[in-house]
Amino acid sequence: EADIYQTPRYLVIGTGKKITLECSQTMGHDKMYWYQQDPGMELHLIHYSYGVNSTEKGDLSSESTVSRIRTEHFPLTLESARPSHTSQYLCASSEWTGLTGELFFGEGSRLTVL
Amino acid sequence: EDQVTQSPEALRLQEGESSSLNCSYTVSGLRGLFWYRQDPGKGPEFLFTLYSAGEEKEKERLKATLTKKESFLHITAPKPEDSATYLCAVQAGRSSNYKLTFGKGTLLTVNP
């Protein structure tokens, strides 16, 4: 069973605030990802990491930043939130294999920026 | 550019009424096609991986099949607990390991 946790599950904040979405996994997976999902729309990759101190931007441009200081932890930060950042953010991880379509997802963090 | 189109967008079935969901894809060199299930307010849950045309995978009431242009998720005698959004994703052979292209999903509702 997958063990990947996201906090907070729901967050409502005002414009201009700094927020950090936490993601932790206990499976020892090297690869971790952040996806963004809007209602009725596709998942879009915004950040990924192949391991400690490795982070890359995904397909969808995002003003958020990520860090990977420990294998199990992959937080996402928005320095100054705006209403356009309102979305569902999903964290995922996978084993280090050639085919990385088998992802384990967290339950998501739903962000609302007023 | 890789593309994934799922149809229908929404499907409502009666309990026990079998049907199929479609995932059409355009990709340069398919490495794998993946099906996920997503419950409301939750993250997607991995169901199947299909690698080549003709391959089939089964899990309880679900069976996934793959051709060179599309994949079907067949649901046999569905139950209300099968209600969810089903997502299809592809990974292209020419792309780096991280990239999956997802479809928008099919929202399945099974009424008792």
Side-chain angles (χ1 to χ4, degrees), chain A residues 9 59 98-101 103, chain B residues 31 36 38 41 51 91 97 99:
Chain A
R9 290 290 316 280
D59 296 332
L99 194 64
T100 55
L103 305 180
Chain B
R31 289 188 70 187
Y36 284 83
Q38 186 173 23
Y51 295 101
Q91 186 178 52
N97 282 342
K99 181 171 167 48

Side-chain angles (χ1 to χ4, degrees), chain A residues 46-96:
Chain A
I46 52 175
H47 298 284
Y48 66 100
S49 168
Y50 281 170
V52 171
N53 294 325
S54 155
T55 61
E56 299 287 344
K57 289 190 177 294
D59 296 332
L60 184 66
S61 176
S62 175
E63 293 167 345
S64 59
T65 59
V66 292
S67 62
R68 190 89 183 275
I69 298 173
R70 303 197 313 269
T71 297
E72 63 271 21
H73 195 215
F74 192 40
L76 180 147
T77 298
L78 275 167
E79 290 293 332
S80 180
R82 294 205 300 271
S84 61
H85 297 138
T86 295
S87 189
Q88 165 101 322
Y89 294 85
L90 291 162
C91 181
S93 71
S94 67
E95 295 180 1
W96 184 267

Side-chain angles (χ1 to χ4, degrees), chain B residues 42-107:
Chain B
K42 301 284 185 68
E45 177 186 353
F46 171 76
L47 292 174
F48 302 110
T49 303
L50 300 166
Y51 295 101
S52 57
E55 188 174 1
E56 298 183 353
K57 294 278 180 70
E58 284 190 69
K59 181 179 180 179
E60 295 180 356
R61 295 176 292 281
L62 301 177
K63 183 168 86 171
T65 62
L66 181 64
T67 73
K68 288 187 178 180
K69 294 183 179 181
E70 57 192 349
S71 176
F72 292 94
L73 185 64
H74 307 276
I75 303 175
T76 302
K79 298 181 178 182
E81 53 261 42
D82 295 321
S83 297
T85 295
Y86 290 86
L87 303 174
C88 174
V90 297
Q91 186 178 52
R94 59 169 171 76
S95 69
S96 62
N97 282 342
Y98 68 88
K99 181 171 167 48
L100 293 183
T101 300
F102 280 87
K104 293 181 180 181
T106 293
L107 174 61

